[in-house]
Amino acid sequence: QVQLVESGGGFVQPGGSLRLSCAASGSIFFINAMGWYRQAPGRQRELVASITRGGTTNYADFVKGRSTISLDIAMNTVYLQMNSLKLGDTAVYYCNAVVFRSASDYRSSNPFNAWGQGTLVTVSS
């Protein structure tokens, strides 16, 4: 099993900042990439940002310029620094990890897609 434990969500006023953290543990041989998704009420889950083991990042247009994703591979932890938060950023934020759970899975290119339980971010005045 692969466990993802998120932290850092909470209540913040518009224009404020939050830093989300997500630590991966369990049956992990190799982490290929980690990222953050979000889901607002009545909307589909959408990508916020992702980062590969090699450091390649990808950001959704709605966070470009005001968020930074980083990966501490030694700690199996991904971070998302969010600044200039807007009302529309209110959502449950989910951590995602694409991992290989064994050497055999790695050799056969059989990754596992893990999800965290989600952490609520509320932006309100």
Side-chain angles (χ1 to χ4, degrees):
Q1 294 294 331
V2 177
Q3 295 84 37
L4 301 180
V5 179
E6 301 129 328
S7 61
F11 180 92
V12 63
Q13 293 186 332
S17 299
L18 280 178
R19 188 190 193 211
L20 305 182
S21 301
C22 171
S25 63
S27 300
I28 299 172
F29 173 77
F30 185 93
I31 291 179
N32 196 50
M34 295 186 75
W36 291 92
Y37 288 71
R38 73 183 188 185
Q39 187 167 19
R43 302 194 64 174
Q44 290 187 330
R45 190 174 298 189
E46 57 186 353
L47 173 71
V48 178
S50 64
I51 184 168
T52 68
R53 185 184 186 92
T56 300
T57 57
N58 181 38
Y59 294 93
D61 286 343
F62 55 76
V63 296
K64 279 182 180 177
R66 58 189 187 97
S67 293
T68 302
I69 190 169
S70 58
L71 177 64
D72 184 343
I73 201 64
M75 299 296 292
N76 288 351
T77 299
V78 65
Y79 304 95
L80 181 67
Q81 177 68 42
M82 298 190 293
N83 303 318
S84 302
L85 284 162
K86 306 175 181 179
L87 297 177
D89 292 320
T90 295
V92 177
Y93 284 71
Y94 295 92
C95 179
N96 171 262
V98 180
V99 308
F100 294 100
R101 290 176 290 182
S102 67
S104 174
D105 284 348
Y106 182 77
R107 287 192 296 269
S108 60
S109 296
N110 181 33
F112 178 77
N113 206 21
W115 291 93
Q117 293 296 311
T119 185
L120 178 62
V121 172
T122 303
V123 184
S124 176
S125 55

